[in-house]
Amino acid sequence: MFHWFRKVRDVVAPLPELTALPDMTGRSLGMDYLIAALGENKEVPSVGDVVIELESCSMGMTVRRDTRHRVVGPPKQLGYGYSVPTVTADSRSDLLHVFSMRRHTKLPRTWVLCN
């Protein structure tokens, strides 16, 4: 119902910092993150948004790696969905799939990708 408000807020909100959230490495995943990993995403991040990629340990309870990405280009249509080109803080290019990416519940223009 309020999707239009979220789009307006994203236009007005400044670019988020890569360090807006503390590093999650070694911490446990909360319910917000576990629920965010379920289902298919219908939204697409825009240029300048931050994507926090959380890679869990083999048991899926703690974060093994926390990688911060900045979206640098428009989304690309693939046969099964969208992907966005990103660059990490250490200038590594990557192409992230939007399927299991979710917006952060409190920070505008910030997305979480649980792997």
Side-chain angles (χ1 to χ4, degrees):
M1 178 175 169
F2 291 104
H3 292 289
W4 61 270
F5 177 72
R6 184 176 284 170
K7 290 179 182 178
V8 170
R9 183 186 68 180
D10 285 352
V11 170
V12 176
L15 289 180
E17 295 293 325
L18 289 175
T19 57
L21 285 175
D23 191 5
M24 298 282 292
T25 305
R27 297 184 184 180
S28 63
L29 289 171
M31 284 307 288
D32 288 342
Y33 296 106
L34 294 173
I35 291 170
L38 300 173
E40 178 183 1
N41 179 27
K42 300 284 187 188
E43 298 179 290
V44 179
S46 59
V47 176
D49 289 0
V50 170
V51 178
I52 302 169
E53 182 182 10
L54 301 176
E55 187 177 323
S56 64
C57 70
S58 61
M59 297 293 289
M61 300 304 289
T62 60
V63 177
R64 184 176 75 165
R65 187 179 318 168
D66 179 337
T67 309
R68 308 297 169 106
H69 300 266
R70 170 103 41 208
V71 178
V72 294
K76 297 178 181 182
Q77 174 77 37
L78 299 175
Y80 51 86
Y82 288 95
S83 63
V84 288
T86 63
V87 172
T88 61
D90 59 352
S91 300
R92 193 182 82 229
S93 297
D94 205 354
L95 195 63
L96 298 178
H97 299 285
V98 177
F99 183 82
S100 58
M101 197 180 290
R102 296 290 183 278
R103 290 181 178 269
H104 192 272
T105 55
K106 296 180 179 93
L107 297 173
R109 302 190 69 180
T110 304
W111 298 73
V112 177
L113 173 62
C114 294
N115 284 337

